[in-house]
Amino acid sequence: MSYPATTVFLTGQAKPAREDAIAQVHGVFYLSLVVDTADNRIVDAQCNSILPMTDRFVHSLVTGYDILNQMEEMEAQIRSRYFALTQRALLACLKDARSQYLNLLRRWEKNLPPSP
């Protein structure tokens, strides 16, 4: 898949519950997002789940939303539809990715180069 030049890649991370298989396999839960800076919309998403179905479902929960202005809507979707042990970790990852995006926008406003 090709992404427009207006997109950026972000990763949010959080510790999953000890009982979750992700904790056993990966240790940390990751949510990677591609965000279009033209409208702050999430155009693609992937997480390091064990099952491909989980990844597809998470993708469907967050893509299309404005990461700056629709956090409450995304959180409501996750709380009402995603009933896995990683629900809290997913919410934390989303907030972490949003925080990174805000930091990036602040750096751009100050004409500083993005930091990895």
Side-chain angles (χ1 to χ4, degrees):
M1 177 174 201
S2 179
Y3 299 106
T6 55
T7 57
V8 294
F9 180 84
L10 309 162
T11 301
Q13 64 179 351
K15 285 201 175 255
R18 272 185 274 130
E19 320 67 64
D20 195 285
I22 291 172
Q24 304 300 316
V25 175
H26 301 293
V28 177
F29 188 64
Y30 291 100
L31 175 65
S32 296
L33 303 174
V34 176
V35 177
D36 193 329
T37 60
D39 60 6
N40 305 312
R41 299 253 173 225
I42 299 170
V43 296
D44 203 357
Q46 190 168 1
C47 63
N48 65 330
S49 62
I50 303 300
L51 301 173
M53 183 190 317
T54 307
D55 180 51
R56 291 190 310 268
F57 194 76
V58 167
H59 179 275
S60 75
L61 290 174
V62 300
T63 53
Y65 283 100
D66 178 324
I67 194 167
L68 293 182
N69 302 304
Q70 292 185 304
M71 281 297 290
E72 289 180 11
E73 291 91 332
M74 282 189 287
E75 288 177 11
Q77 284 290 313
I78 292 166
R79 290 183 198 284
S80 67
R81 299 181 60 207
Y82 185 82
F83 296 100
L85 288 174
T86 51
Q87 185 190 72
R88 280 187 189 171
L90 176 56
L91 290 165
C93 284
L94 188 58
K95 289 175 184 176
D96 186 39
R98 182 180 188 271
S99 177
Q100 287 187 34
Y101 186 61
L102 285 167
N103 287 337
L104 175 66
L105 294 178
R106 284 186 203 110
R107 290 184 66 78
W108 285 354
E109 283 177 2
K110 294 177 182 178
N111 292 319
L112 297 173
S115 60

